[in-house]
Amino acid sequence: MRNVDTVYLRSDAILATLRTRQIGKTLLVLEECASTNDVAEKTASEGAPNGFVVIADQQKQGRGRYGRVWLSPQGGIWMTVVLRPPIVSEILQGLTLIGALAVARGVSSDLGVRARVRWPNDVVVGQRKLGGILAEAKVHGNELSYALLGIGVNGNFHSFPIEGARQQPISLLDLVGSPIDRASLISSVLAEVEQLLDCISTSGEQRFLDLLKQIESSIGRSVIVELEHKSICQGILESYESLTKVSIRTENDQHTIVDASSALSVVYVD
Ligand code: BTN
């Protein structure tokens, strides 16, 4: 792995380009931490407001879905947004998809890179993974206290091979050829998160799904849905039914509705 970005992120550079009402208005920018989700969790438990964002230049113990390690070298975009009720209570299970669409739209608009969403939580260019989303929630009794929207984007470093991976990751440095302005991309992604949350609360889920369909890469693909490494459904991903559910056409033209909110992983086989 070669690091080319020795420029550290600064909160004033991010705040200078921020176009949101609330998300990112209070920010914590760190040179390094274990995981921005962990820092955000601690800060939220101490009362950080809705829209508070933690950003780190590098994470030493970045976490992916299913307990996987998320390598997070200097120069990436590693951040977590704290979201509080009522903003997220209804759509909690759909947060990963919202985050993925926000990243894909931000990358496209800010850099002209054709990033797409791969259901349920990946951002890809072609078939290669550019970023991922880890959404977590703190519940008190039956009430949601806060949600944590963790966003990782391979930024200003060359991607490195992941042993055994079906498809290798890719970074913005690989794609653009020179270091990108991370502060500007962070502002764009945060603006997209806010706009998509607003869009769902004012216009409903269908409008969100219409936006998703313009920039997604999963429909028509052959998938295996697994639970704890065992296949539970295999077929062609046919449509988005809601923020969390897709319809999969299985053998004999059966349609199975799969809900991403359970601990499922999705393998794309074509
Ligand atoms: C995945 O695709 O498995 C999800 C990856 C999520 C990575 C981000 S980086 C910022 C935040 N902090 C973490 O430890 N993980 C998320």
Side-chain angles (χ1 to χ4, degrees), residues 34-38 59 61-66 68-70 72 77-80 121-122 129 131-134 149-153:
S35 157
T36 55
N37 270 36
D38 294 347
Q59 299 183 117
Q61 291 171 298
R63 293 187 278 116
R65 297 209 335 152
Y66 323 116
R68 291 181 191 139
V69 169
W70 181 263
S72 316
I77 292 176
W78 322 123
M79 64 180 174
T80 302
N121 80 312
D122 292 343
K129 183 156 168 166
I133 310 296
L134 179 68
L149 179 61
I151 295 174
V153 185

Side-chain angles (χ1 to χ4, degrees), residues 213-243:
K213 282 175 202 157
Q214 294 168 12
I215 193 172
E216 72 81 47
S217 72
S218 304
I219 290 180
R221 303 274 309 275
S222 186
V223 294
I224 302 173
V225 182
E226 296 181 339
L227 183 61
E228 291 169 1
H229 303 292
K230 289 202 186 83
S231 166
I232 57 162
C233 171
Q234 181 161 5
I236 305 292
L237 197 153
E238 210 157 56
S239 59
Y240 293 92
E241 300 294 308
S242 72
L243 252 184

Side-chain angles (χ1 to χ4, degrees), residues 28-228:
L28 176 63
V29 179
L30 302 167
E31 287 184 8
E32 70 172 58
C33 66
S35 157
T36 55
N37 270 36
D38 294 347
V39 177
E41 142 78 8
K42 182 168 186 303
T43 324
S45 72
E46 291 165 357
N50 180 53
F52 176 76
V53 178
V54 180
I55 305 173
D57 276 297
Q58 59 179 306
Q59 299 183 117
K60 295 298 189 189
Q61 291 171 298
R63 293 187 278 116
R65 297 209 335 152
Y66 323 116
R68 291 181 191 139
V69 169
W70 181 263
L71 295 173
S72 316
Q74 160 74 25
I77 292 176
W78 322 123
M79 64 180 174
T80 302
V81 183
V82 174
L83 295 168
R84 289 190 181 275
I87 193 166
V88 282
S89 303
E90 303 294 311
I91 52 160
L92 187 59
Q93 309 294 356
L95 269 187
T96 51
L97 199 57
I98 295 168
L101 183 57
V103 170
R105 285 171 63 91
V107 165
S108 301
S109 68
D110 211 56
L111 301 167
V113 168
R114 278 171 61 87
R116 294 188 170 272
V117 175
R118 185 171 62 191
W119 188 80
N121 80 312
D122 292 343
V123 180
V124 294
V125 174
Q127 310 284 346
R128 296 176 68 180
K129 183 156 168 166
L130 178 67
I133 310 296
L134 179 68
E136 297 176 316
K138 179 79 174 182
V139 177
H140 193 74
N142 285 332
E143 299 253 304
L144 174 73
S145 300
Y146 48 83
L148 304 171
L149 179 61
I151 295 174
V153 185
N154 299 330
N156 288 338
F157 55 89
H158 286 293
S159 57
F160 35 87
I162 307 262
E163 212 181 314
R166 196 177 278 268
Q167 262 108 28
Q168 292 300 331
I170 198 160
S171 72
L172 290 170
L173 180 62
D174 297 333
L175 289 159
V176 176
S178 54
I180 59 135
D181 179 345
R182 284 186 295 156
S184 167
L185 180 58
I186 286 168
S187 295
S188 297
V189 171
L190 294 179
E192 291 289 347
V193 171
E194 189 166 274
Q195 281 163 23
L196 291 172
L197 289 169
D198 286 351
C199 160
I200 293 168
S201 68
T202 56
S203 310
E205 231 172 86
Q206 190 52 50
R207 173 75 187 126
F208 172 86
L209 294 179
D210 291 342
L211 293 173
L212 174 67
K213 282 175 202 157
Q214 294 168 12
I215 193 172
E216 72 81 47
S217 72
S218 304
I219 290 180
R221 303 274 309 275
S222 186
V223 294
I224 302 173
V225 182
E226 296 181 339
L227 183 61
E228 291 169 1

